[in-house]
Amino acid sequence: MRFRWLVALLALPVTLPAQLAVVGETVYTMAGPAIRDGVVLIRDGKIERVGPSSELRVPAGYRKLTAKVVTPGLIDAYTVVGLSGYLNQAHDQEQVERSKPIQPELRAVDAYDPREPLIEYLRGYGITTLHTGHGPGILVSGQTMIVKTAGPTVEQALVKPDVMVASTLGGGAREREAGKSPGTRAKAIAMLRAELVKAQEAIRRREKKPEEATRDLATEVWIQVLRGEKPLLVTVDRAHDILSAIRLGKEFGLRLVLSNVAEAYLVLEEIRASGYPVIIHPAMQRAGGETENISFETAAKLKAAGIPFAMQSGYESYVPKTRVVLFEAAVAASYGLGFESALAALTIDAARLLGISDRLGSLEPGKDADLALFDGDPFEYTSHTTGVIINGVLVSDRPQ
Amino acid sequence: MKKLAVVAFLLAGWVTAQERPMLFIGARIIPITSTEIEDGALLIRQGKIVAVGPRQKLSPPGDAEVIDVRGKVILPGLVDTHSHIGSVEGGDSSAPIQPDARALDSIDVRDSRLQKAQAGGITTVNIMPGSGHLLSGQTIYLKLRDGRTIDELALRNADGSIAGGMKMANGTNSRRAPPFPGTRAKSAALLREQLIKAVEYRDKIRKAAGDPEKLPERDLRLEALVEVLDGKRMVHFHTHRHDDILTVLRLQKEFGFRAVLHHVSDAWMVADEIAKAGVPCSLILIDSPGGKIEAKDNRFISGAALERAGVLTAFHTDDGVTDSRLFLRMAALAVRAGMSRQKALEALTIAGARMLDLESRIGSLEPGKDADFVILSGDPFSVYTKVLETWVEGVKVFDRTVAQDRLYAVGGYGASRPGDFYVDEEWLQ
C-alpha cells in the first residue's frame, strides 16, 4: 500500500501524471453549488475543467473514474502526524522537545517521516493535505508546515514550509517538574511577552546598528511572528485562557490562530471581535482536564457566530494515535453544523485559513488536482472512500 | 431524570416503579432475535416486556399509557462488555495478580460518565479494572439505573451475590518492574502458577465434602479463582497481539475456565483459531491503528473476519478509550468494513448479554425480558441519528429533551466532573 502511488505512476508510462476524467453523481466543487452528474477533467496534475456532463465532453485518452460523490481532497488543518508515529515509542515521537519550554526555531521539515504508516492511513479516507508539525503540550514547541499525503521525501510532499509557530497556553503549557517554568498560567504569558519584547528590541538594535547584528534562530522566528509573516498558533481550551491569548495577540499585533478552544462557546463574541480564526478541536476529543467542558456542538456555534474555522485531528497521546478529520467533521455535521458547512471546513475554509486557497480547497481550473471519491454521503459511517487523487495521480483506489 | 427516579425509589423501590402498562406504537422495532417490525408496538409493564409485535396485531390493555413513537426506531438497550466509567479501580502496584480486589468497592456512581453512557443508549455495562496487571480484580455488571449507590445499580446472580467477572490481561500493559512479569513467557507462567494453586485449593474443598474440620483456611484470592475454575465467574481477558490471543486460548484449554477475549486487535489474523476454540470476542475498533505497539494492526475488518469464522462477537467502548455516547458508531464502522448489519446489531446487544451470562434477561426485545430499550431518531448506523430516550426496566433514565440530559449527550459547561483524565490533579500532587 505504501508504494501504491508509485505503482500507479509506473503503470502509466506515457503521460505522467495521467489525464483523468472524474465523473460524479454529485460533485461538490466548493466554488459554487454542487453539480449533479458532474465531470472534473484533470491534466498534468492540475484541474483542467469542471462542469455538468451535459456540457463537458470527456476528451479521448482520458481515463474515466466514477463515483457517487466527489469532493476536493480533504485538509487536516492541524495535526502532528509524520512527527508523531503510530507505535507511540520514544523513537517515533518528534512533536515536542522537552529540553526547553520555548523553541520556535525547531522546523517541521527536519522531523517529518513521509513513510509513517498513519499518513497512508489518513490518505485512504480522502485526506490529501496536512498542516502538520510541532504539537501542543509545551509553551512553544516549534514550527508547522503543509504537506500532501503523497511523496517519498518531505521535499516532494511539501506545499509550504515553516507555516506557523505552535504554542500552548493554559494548563497544557505547564511544566510538571517542580521549579521548572512555566508552572502557572500567568508565568506562561509572562514568558511569551518577554520573548516578544526581546525580539522587538532586536529589531530596534538591528535598525540602529545593522553592522553589529548577529544571527539568532529563535529571535529570527519571533521577528517573523511580530511582522505577521507567521501566525502564532495557540492551542488553548479554557475560556479565560482563550481571552489571555487574544490579549497577548492584540498587545503585539500578532496574527493569531486559535486552536482547540474547547470552551469557545463561552466567549464567542470576544473571539469574533478579535478577528482571529479557529482550528477547532476534533469533535470526539476526550472530555477531561482542560477539555472537561468540551462539546460536540462547538463547531456549529462557531459557524452561527460567523467565526472562520477549520478542523483538526489534533494530538492524541494514546489510542487512537491520530484522529481522522473526516470522522470528526461527520460528528460535527450531525451535531448542528450541517453537511455543507462541515465539508467546507475540511476543504475551502481550511485552505483559506492556511493561506493555500490559490492551489487547494476547491475544484476549479488551475488548482491542484487533489480529489476524494466516495460511494455515498462522505460523512455516513457506512460510506467508503473509493478513490483518492493527489496532483492528478490516483494514489488510492481500495474502498476504505 | 435523577430526581424522578429517586422519588420512585423512596415510594416503592425500583422494581415496581412502573405499575401502569406502557405501549410504544409506530416505531420501527428491531428486536434483534426476531425480524424487524416496520410499524411496531412494544408493551411493557412493571419493568418487563409484555409483548412486541406489529401495531395492528397487538391489543393493549385498557389502562395502558400509549406513547406515539412513529418515525423512530426502537432497539434493545445496548450492552457494553468492557468499560472503565465510574472511576473504577482494581488491584494496586503491589502484585501482578490480585483476584481479591473488587470493582464493587471502588465505583463512584455519581461519575458523570455513567450519565453519558445512558445518553449513548447503554443500559448494561461490565465495569472493569485496568489492564496493568495479569489479573487486576473482579469486574462488576451494572444496570445503568438512576441509583444513588452501587447496590442499586448492581446486577445479582441467582444466589443473590453481585454479578461480575474476572479481569485478566496479557501482552505489554502488564509488563513492569518486578514483582510484575518482564516477558510474555513469565506472564503466562505466573498466571499458571496461581491457577494451579487454585486447582489444589478447590480439590481440598471438594475432598472436605462440607466437613468444617477438613476445609482449608479461607483465602480470598483463591476463593475468587475457584469461582473462575468453576465457570461461575467469566474471565474477561485483555489481549491484542495474535500470539497473545493464542496464549489465552492455550491457558483457557489447560484450566477450562470460561473466557471472553477483549480488544483482540489482531482478531482478523487468527479468526479461525478463535472459532475453533469456541471462545467469544469482545472487540474494540479504534479510529486509527496504533497508539501502542500491540494495537498497531487493529482494523475495522475484525468484525467481518470473526463473523465469517463464526465467532460470537460483541463490541465494547473501553470508555474512556472510546466515548460511550457514540457506541453505535463502532458497530457502524464494522459494517463499513464488511460485517453484516444483523451481526453488528447483535454485537451491541444479545452477543454481549451472552458474554455476561445475562441473555435470559437482556439483549433483545422479547416478552419476559427486562424493559431495557433505546428510542432512536433514525437508523442505528447513521451518523445523523441521535439517541432520544434510554429506558431501563421500564423507567426513562435519559431524555434528550431534558436540559440536563442533553448536556450529558452533547457536552458543554459542567458536563464532566474530574475523572480519569483529569490531568490537573496529577500535576497538583
Side-chain angles (χ1 to χ4, degrees):
Chain A
M1 271 310 283
R2 189 174 300 172
F3 300 108
R4 187 173 284 272
W5 69 273
L6 245 184
V7 174
L9 276 177
L10 293 172
L12 303 158
V14 186
T15 50
L16 290 178
Q19 271 41 286
L20 293 175
V22 180
V23 182
E25 281 180 29
T26 308
V27 176
Y28 292 96
T29 66
M30 309 315 289
I35 304 171
R36 303 295 154 193
D37 197 13
V39 183
V40 182
L41 296 183
I42 295 167
R43 190 182 180 84
D44 299 331
K46 299 281 178 189
I47 294 167
E48 189 182 8
R49 291 184 68 189
V50 185
S53 64
S54 56
E55 294 170 20
L56 201 57
R57 220 171 48 81
V58 177
Y62 279 60
R63 182 178 170 196
K64 203 166 147 183
L65 300 169
T66 58
K68 246 201 171 98
V69 173
V70 177
T71 71
L74 309 179
I75 301 170
D76 184 340
Y78 185 33
T79 179
V80 290
V81 164
L83 277 77
S84 172
Y86 80 148
L87 297 179
N88 206 14
Q89 303 296 302
H91 70 80
D92 73 347
Q93 300 303 303
E94 307 287 342
Q95 70 282 1
V96 170
E97 215 282 340
R98 294 225 161 261
S99 58
K100 282 196 295 182
I102 300 179
Q103 305 194 62
E105 65 274 24
L106 305 185
R107 300 185 301 189
V109 286
D110 300 320
Y112 184 73
D113 174 8
R115 294 172 198 267
E116 161 57 41
L118 287 177
I119 298 166
E120 183 191 336
Y121 182 80
L122 293 177
R123 188 177 68 210
Y125 287 106
I127 294 151
T128 55
T129 301
L130 306 175
H131 173 223
T132 188
H134 288 92
I138 197 163
L139 188 51
V140 178
S141 56
Q143 296 173 55
T144 61
M145 64 176 178
I146 299 168
V147 287
K148 299 273 182 88
T149 52
T153 67
V154 68
E155 279 78 10
Q156 284 166 279
L158 204 58
V159 176
K160 219 172 161 186
D162 309 337
V163 173
M164 298 185 197
V165 174
S167 69
T168 302
L169 287 178
R174 276 179 183 148
E175 292 290 333
R176 302 284 164 102
E177 225 173 286
K180 275 199 168 182
S181 292
T184 61
R185 291 171 146 83
K187 183 70 175 182
I189 295 287
M191 289 166 75
L192 274 184
R193 292 181 70 225
E195 289 293 314
L196 290 162
V197 166
K198 201 170 93 185
Q200 284 176 331
E201 292 299 321
I203 295 172
R204 266 192 343 138
R205 270 201 313 278
R206 197 168 291 183
E207 279 164 1
K208 268 203 264 174
K209 294 181 182 171
E211 67 284 359
E212 283 179 21
T214 54
R215 290 193 64 184
D216 175 78
L217 290 176
T219 307
E220 284 174 14
V221 179
W222 285 127
I223 289 171
Q224 291 171 325
V225 171
L226 281 171
R227 288 180 173 153
E229 293 160 18
K230 270 190 192 134
L232 185 66
L233 177 67
V234 187
T235 296
V236 63
D237 284 304
R238 297 281 188 193
H240 60 294
D241 293 323
I242 298 170
L243 300 183
S244 297
I246 293 172
R247 194 179 305 121
L248 179 84
K250 294 300 171 191
E251 178 182 356
F252 293 94
L254 309 178
R255 274 175 66 201
L256 229 62
V257 175
L258 297 169
S259 163
N260 231 60
V261 289
E263 294 180 4
Y265 55 83
L266 294 176
V267 286
L268 285 171
E269 191 40 50
E270 287 79 0
I271 295 173
R272 201 193 53 75
S274 77
Y276 295 139
V278 164
I279 304 177
I280 190 178
H281 59 78
M284 293 182 279
Q285 190 174 18
R286 294 177 179 102
E290 296 285 288
T291 62
E292 69 174 344
N293 296 318
I294 207 159
S295 162
F296 291 141
E297 295 182 327
T298 307
K301 287 178 178 166
L302 289 174
K303 182 75 194 176
I307 296 164
F309 70 96
M311 299 224 173
Q312 64 175 302
S313 60
Y315 167 69
E316 286 292 340
S317 62
Y318 190 51
V319 176
K321 195 62 190 113
T322 186
R323 294 190 175 274
V324 179
V325 278
L326 172 66
F327 298 161
E328 302 300 330
V331 170
S334 169
Y335 283 80
L337 183 58
F339 176 87
E340 298 264 354
S341 296
L343 188 58
L346 293 182
T347 54
I348 189 63
D349 292 352
R352 286 195 186 116
L353 195 154
L354 297 171
I356 50 174
S357 57
D358 56 329
R359 274 183 66 178
L360 298 166
S362 60
L363 302 178
E364 292 178 87
K367 284 198 175 183
D368 290 6
D370 294 359
L371 285 76
L373 284 58
F374 301 90
D375 62 2
D377 177 344
F379 295 140
E380 275 293 7
Y381 297 142
T382 49
S383 294
H384 304 88
T385 310
T386 54
V388 184
I389 296 165
I390 296 180
N391 298 329
V393 177
L394 183 67
V395 291
S396 169
D397 62 358
R398 192 177 60 174
Q400 185 164 312
Chain B
M1 290 312 295
K2 185 137 265 174
K3 235 180 234 164
L4 241 178
V6 169
V7 171
F9 265 120
L10 295 176
L11 291 177
W14 182 270
V15 178
T16 53
Q18 181 236 334
E19 286 287 357
R20 192 179 161 197
M22 296 177 94
L23 182 71
F24 297 80
I25 55 161
R28 177 155 73 94
I29 296 181
I30 306 178
I32 300 294
T33 45
S34 55
T35 50
E36 296 189 13
I37 306 156
E38 207 45 60
D39 181 11
L42 171 69
L43 181 66
I44 65 169
R45 179 174 192 163
Q46 292 196 336
K48 297 280 182 192
I49 296 167
V50 177
V52 189
R55 181 161 63 98
Q56 306 302 340
K57 290 192 184 164
L58 219 151
S59 49
D63 60 336
E65 182 186 345
V66 178
I67 298 156
D68 187 344
V69 280
R70 267 176 296 185
K72 289 159 192 169
V73 174
I74 296 182
L75 269 186
L78 308 186
V79 179
D80 185 356
T81 45
H82 184 145
S83 178
H84 301 293
I85 57 177
S87 306
V88 63
E89 290 181 329
D92 61 12
S93 60
S94 63
I97 297 176
Q98 303 190 41
D100 46 340
R102 301 183 300 189
L104 164 72
D105 300 312
S106 72
I107 290 169
D108 173 10
V109 296
R110 289 178 172 80
D111 176 6
S112 64
R113 290 199 289 158
L114 269 70
Q115 269 96 45
K116 288 181 181 176
Q118 292 173 335
I122 295 168
T123 53
T124 302
V125 60
N126 174 25
I127 302 187
M128 310 233 266
S131 51
H133 297 72
L134 297 172
L135 194 161
S136 57
Q138 299 170 30
T139 81
I140 189 167
Y141 305 158
L142 301 183
K143 271 291 182 76
L144 290 181
R145 304 165 184 134
D146 277 337
R148 300 162 298 119
T149 68
I150 189 75
D151 294 287
E152 287 171 357
L153 271 66
L155 278 156
R156 288 172 189 278
N157 298 313
D159 65 2
S161 59
I162 301 269
M166 187 69 84
K167 174 74 182 287
M168 297 190 194
N170 67 6
T172 55
N173 283 21
S174 44
R175 287 165 67 160
R176 289 193 247 168
F180 284 76
T183 63
R184 290 182 149 82
K186 180 76 172 178
S187 300
L190 285 173
L191 197 54
R192 290 182 67 229
E193 189 179 36
Q194 201 57 230
L195 285 166
I196 286 166
K197 274 185 195 160
V199 169
E200 291 169 354
Y201 186 74
R202 180 185 61 179
D203 290 348
K204 275 185 206 164
I205 295 173
R206 281 186 181 170
K207 247 189 191 159
D211 181 351
E213 294 299 312
K214 291 180 185 162
L215 271 176
E217 269 185 45
R218 283 197 68 187
D219 182 321
L220 290 176
R221 295 157 51 89
L222 293 177
E223 278 176 11
L225 285 177
V226 168
E227 291 179 352
V228 165
L229 292 172
D230 289 347
K232 289 180 189 158
R233 193 172 279 284
M234 185 73 82
V235 173
H236 296 287
F237 216 124
H238 158 116
T239 185
H240 283 282
R241 214 171 75 175
H242 54 93
D243 52 331
D244 290 330
I245 295 168
L246 299 187
T247 299
V248 177
L249 299 180
R250 199 177 305 120
L251 293 175
Q252 186 272 331
K253 205 173 167 192
E254 181 180 356
F255 294 96
F257 53 77
R258 297 169 67 223
V260 177
L261 302 173
H262 282 257
H263 307 323
V264 222
S265 283
D266 291 356
W268 58 276
M269 296 183 198
V270 289
D272 290 334
E273 285 77 5
I274 297 170
K276 210 173 141 203
V279 173
C281 279
S282 173
L283 290 176
I284 185 169
L285 305 181
I286 49 178
D287 282 13
S288 66
K292 58 181 189 167
I293 291 178
E294 58 188 7
K296 74 181 174 63
D297 295 312
N298 186 296
R299 297 285 185 278
F300 295 164
I301 56 170
S302 276
L306 290 173
E307 181 179 353
R308 266 196 299 277
V311 177
L312 176 65
T313 303
F315 295 110
H316 64 253
T317 64
D318 199 10
D319 194 329
V321 172
T322 74
D323 194 321
S324 293
R325 294 173 296 179
L326 297 168
F327 190 31
L328 288 165
R329 176 177 181 268
M330 195 182 296
L333 293 174
V335 171
R336 184 187 192 119
M339 196 178 197
S340 70
R341 265 181 77 85
Q342 176 61 25
K343 285 294 169 190
L345 287 167
E346 288 178 16
L348 292 166
T349 54
I350 190 71
R354 290 200 177 108
M355 292 175 203
L356 306 182
D357 291 327
L358 293 169
E359 71 272 22
S360 63
R361 281 189 63 179
I362 59 162
S364 62
L365 301 176
E366 294 178 69
K369 281 197 170 183
D370 291 357
D372 296 356
F373 58 96
V374 189
I375 303 176
L376 304 174
S377 64
D379 187 86
F381 293 146
S382 170
V383 67
Y384 302 108
T385 293
K386 303 288 186 304
V387 174
L388 301 176
E389 294 176 13
T390 305
W391 291 67
V392 175
E393 295 162 1
V395 176
K396 186 157 61 175
V397 298
F398 169 77
D399 182 340
R400 205 168 192 273
T401 62
V402 172
Q404 187 64 25
D405 284 3
R406 193 178 185 285
L407 176 66
Y408 291 126
V410 305
Y413 203 79
S416 303
R417 284 201 318 265
D420 291 359
F421 292 97
Y422 200 67
V423 289
D424 274 8
E425 272 186 356
E426 194 180 304
W427 172 81
L428 284 167
Q429 282 163 5

